[in-house]
Amino acid sequence: MAIVNLEYIEVTPGVCGGRPRIAGHRITVADIAVMYTKMGYSLEEIAGKYDLPLASVYAAMAYYFEHREEIDRRLREDAEFVEVFKQQHPSKLQTKLQQMRNE
């Protein structure tokens, strides 16, 4: 069982797929972690950009580090799903553009 700081982090079935998120927002802990670890945003920039209390952004990162394996696994699964979906359902616009280039 996960202990969640209810002041900053919420886990609600049916909201954001039941993923942990900033309380009162639809911004998930994974969103914060990706912006910080992969996109290079500072925690202060993230808080400012989304009008979040800085403490909630720090709480999201603390939650991420406590549950890193699970959150990273879900991120990988989501990316794999997107790739399979794109292969099975090619973009009509991309297909049309490719046809125009080949003409």
Side-chain angles (χ1 to χ4, degrees), residues 8-66:
Y8 298 114
I9 305 298
E10 293 178 333
V11 177
T12 309
V15 178
C16 295
R19 290 176 168 88
R21 61 189 170 86
I22 302 290
H25 298 272
R26 294 186 61 83
I27 300 172
T28 67
V29 168
D31 294 334
I32 301 293
V34 166
M35 285 186 268
Y36 180 70
T37 63
K38 305 262 190 252
M39 299 172 71
Y41 287 104
S42 72
L43 299 180
E44 291 80 7
E45 288 175 309
I46 296 167
K49 182 176 179 121
Y50 296 98
D51 196 29
L52 299 169
L54 186 56
S56 68
V57 177
Y58 274 87
M61 288 308 299
Y63 188 96
Y64 170 71
F65 288 123
E66 286 289 323

Side-chain angles (χ1 to χ4, degrees), residues 90-101:
S91 163
K92 292 178 183 178
L93 175 60
Q94 291 298 328
T95 302
K96 182 70 172 174
L97 289 172
Q98 188 63 37
Q99 289 172 347
M100 292 172 65
R101 287 186 198 122

